[in-house]
Structures are given as structure tokens and as C-alpha cells.
């Protein structure tokens, strides 16, 4: 189809905004206005197909599969569920290609789908359309550049994170019990908590107390649990949960403290991926040490006790 073959070309608009930062830079209103201006400026007889054909995916990443985008899924339905001679629009226009898709594979899948239904694609920022062979070639080229830029940013972010880890920067909102973060996001000892950590190791290693016994004693002494203490000591924003007593210690919480190498100064990152704990050999250790709360001899004794317990259960 050549645009000149159409007496009145109907245009649908697809808008995607992901994060709040992108929303400010590439906001919905800005994208819509840019595409409408493109439609008005074209020499062909083009017009908006209708407000119902402005599809907006708000808060959706450019790498999200097409079938997981609500507005785009509706766009597909409007094309496929309409008889061929009653297509609601002839063209799908976007503000910018990387607003549409940041993976070349996704981009090419879309163009193939549009071609199969005699729907053309236009971008306001790149000033191209797929009604010509040149436009299709340029679209693929721009798609490659967009994906390369995305991968470059991703790699830079990973490299920057690794450098920060080596410098001893603590990532994530949760600060280990016994520590706080300074203005440079590095760990410092929080003595009110560190004192409890030392007492836990003392009871477990030197007094041969169980984690259940230690948890009960901490409750009886009204020692705030790690989560409650984080709020009390301004390590974490929010309110203390009301489900349990703020002095309630789980035996498993005690066990986690007794097995955390952070207390010997070792800082590890990459412990979790997508909410799941990764094997220890995949952890990344910082070249910088945190302040020491527990000496290595005491920590190894605790480790040996846990190992013996595990052996006895077999």
C-alpha cells in the first residue's frame, strides 16, 4: 500500500511510558502532541482514527513482551477482530521508536504483524514510515542502535555497581543488624545493635545455648527485633509492623545473624536474584572490609556448631 492510494488515511497512536523519570521526559501529553503534529504536517490526507484508537501503556518497560502490554494487546485485537475491509486505521504512529520497543526482535515482530494486515508504521521523532523499502531498512537500523544503547547502559550500570561493591558500598534498603550506613552508604557499627550481636554469639558459642533459647531470652529482655530496631534507629523508613510484638525474636532470625559473615568484616553482594537466594559461589565479595563486630575465631566456632548439628540430623 502506498499512502497516495488512500483517500483518507486513518492513524492510530501508540504511547508507552515506563518509569516516573521517563514520564517527565517523554510524558504522555508530549508524545500525543508530537504525533498529532506529525499527522497534520504530512502532505497525504491523514487524520486521527478516533480517541478510542489512542493506545496508552503507562508504566510498561520497552522490553516487556507485546502480549503483556494491555494497551498494545487491545490494539492487536482491534486489528485482528475487524473485517479486512473495515480496518479502523491504516497506520500506527509512535513518538519515538525506543518508546515503542527497545529490543530489535520485538520491533521486527511488530512490523511483520503490521505488514501482514496491511498496516503501516510511523515514528514522529525519526521521521520515517514503513511504506517504503528505505523506511523499513532505516527502522531495522534504528532498532539495532536502540538495543545497543540499552545494552551499553546496562553494562555501565553493572560495572558501576561492581566498583561500588569493591569500595564497600552497601546496596539495598536493608542494613544488617548491628550496622548503619554513613553518608557514603558504607557500613558503620551501630553499637546499640552490635552489643546484642556479641551477646548472641556469646550465648551460642561459649554458653552452648540453642537459637530457641536465645530468641526467648531476647524477648524476655524486651530487645527490639531487627526489623523493629531498623525503624527505631532510623535505618528504615515506615512504621513498625503490628502483626507481632516488636520484641518478638524468631529462632531463625538468631540463626541468620550467627551465620552472616558481615560481622567478621566480609561484605558480599549478588546474594539474591529475582527474590531468590543464589549459590554462595556466585556471591561477589567486596575488596573493602566492613568494621568487625565478631572475631573470625568466634565466627568459625559458631559455624562448626551448625555443621555438627547438620551432621547429627542425618
Amino acid at each position: 500500500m502506498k499512502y497516495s492510494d488512500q483517500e483518507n488515511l486513518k492513524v492510530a497512536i501508540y504511547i508507552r511510558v515506563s518509569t516516573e523519570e521517563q514520564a517527565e521526559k517523554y510524558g504522555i501529553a508530549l508524545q500525543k502532541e508530537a504525533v498529532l503534529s506529525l499527522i497534520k504536517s504530512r502532505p497525504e490526507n491523514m487524520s486521527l482514527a478516533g480517541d478510542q484508537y489512542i493506545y496508552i501503556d503507562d508504566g510498561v518497560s520497552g522490553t516487556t513482551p507485546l502480549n503483556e502490554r494491555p494497551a498494545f494487546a487491545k490494539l492487536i485485537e482491534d486489528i485482528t477482530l475487524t473485517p479486512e475491509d473495515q480496518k479502523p486505521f491504516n497506520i500506527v504512529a509512535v513518538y519515538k521508536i525506543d518508546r515503542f520497543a527497545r529490543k530489535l526482535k520485538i520491533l521486527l515482530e511488530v512490523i511483520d504483524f503490521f505488514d501482514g494486515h496491511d498496516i503501516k508504521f510511523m515514528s514522529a521523532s525519526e521521521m520515517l514510515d514503513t511504506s517504503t523499502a528505505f523506511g523499513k531498512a532505516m527502522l531495522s537500523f534504528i532498532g539495532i542502535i536502540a538495543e545497543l544503547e540499552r545494552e551499553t547502559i546496562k553494562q555501565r550500570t553493572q560495572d558501576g555497581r561492581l566498583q561500588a561493591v569493591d569500595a564497600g558500598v552497601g546496596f539495598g534498603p536493608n542494613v544488617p543488624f548491628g550496622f548503619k550506613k554513613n553518608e557514603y552508604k558504607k557500613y558503620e557499627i551501630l553499637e546499640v545493635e552490635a552489643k546484642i550481636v556479641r551477646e548472641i554469639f556469646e550465648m551460642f558459642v561459649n554458653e552452648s545455648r540453642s537459637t530457641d533459647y536465645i530468641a526467648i531470652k531476647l524477648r524476655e529482655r524486651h530487645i527490639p527485633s531487627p526489623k523493629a530496631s531498623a525503624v527505631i534507629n532510623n535505618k528504615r523508613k515506615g512504621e513498625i509492623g503490628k502483626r507481632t510484638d516488636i520484641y518478638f525474636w524468631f529462632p531463625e532470625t538468631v540463626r541468620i545473624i550467627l551465620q552472616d559473615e558481615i560481622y567478621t568484616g566480609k561484605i558480599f553482594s549478588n546474594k539474591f536474584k529475582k527474590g531468590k537466594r543464589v549459590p554462595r559461589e556466585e556471591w561477589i565479595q567486596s575488596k573493602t572490609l566492613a568494621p568487625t563486630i565478631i572475631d573470625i575465631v568466634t565466627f568459625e566456632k559458631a559455624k562448626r556448631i551448625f555443621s555438627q548439628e547438620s551432621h547429627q540430623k542425618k
Side-chain angles (χ1 to χ4, degrees), residues 193-218:
E193 293 182 349
K195 178 177 179 290
I196 304 303
V197 172
R198 297 188 193 99
E199 291 179 5
I200 288 173
F201 274 89
E202 174 67 21
M203 285 188 280
F204 186 75
V205 174
N206 297 327
E207 298 177 15
S208 300
R209 301 297 188 179
S210 69
T211 54
D212 293 274
Y213 174 90
I214 296 171
I216 290 171
K217 286 300 177 183
L218 293 173

Side-chain angles (χ1 to χ4, degrees), residues 10-15 48-56 74-75 78-79 82 86-89 91-93:
K10 298 294 183 181
V11 183
I13 299 175
Y14 177 75
I15 295 170
L48 179 65
D51 289 340
Q52 69 271 38
Y53 299 117
I54 299 177
Y55 304 90
I56 302 173
K74 179 64 169 60
L75 184 152
D78 288 343
I79 293 175
T82 305
Q86 298 178 26
K87 286 198 300 282
F89 45 82
I91 302 165
V92 173

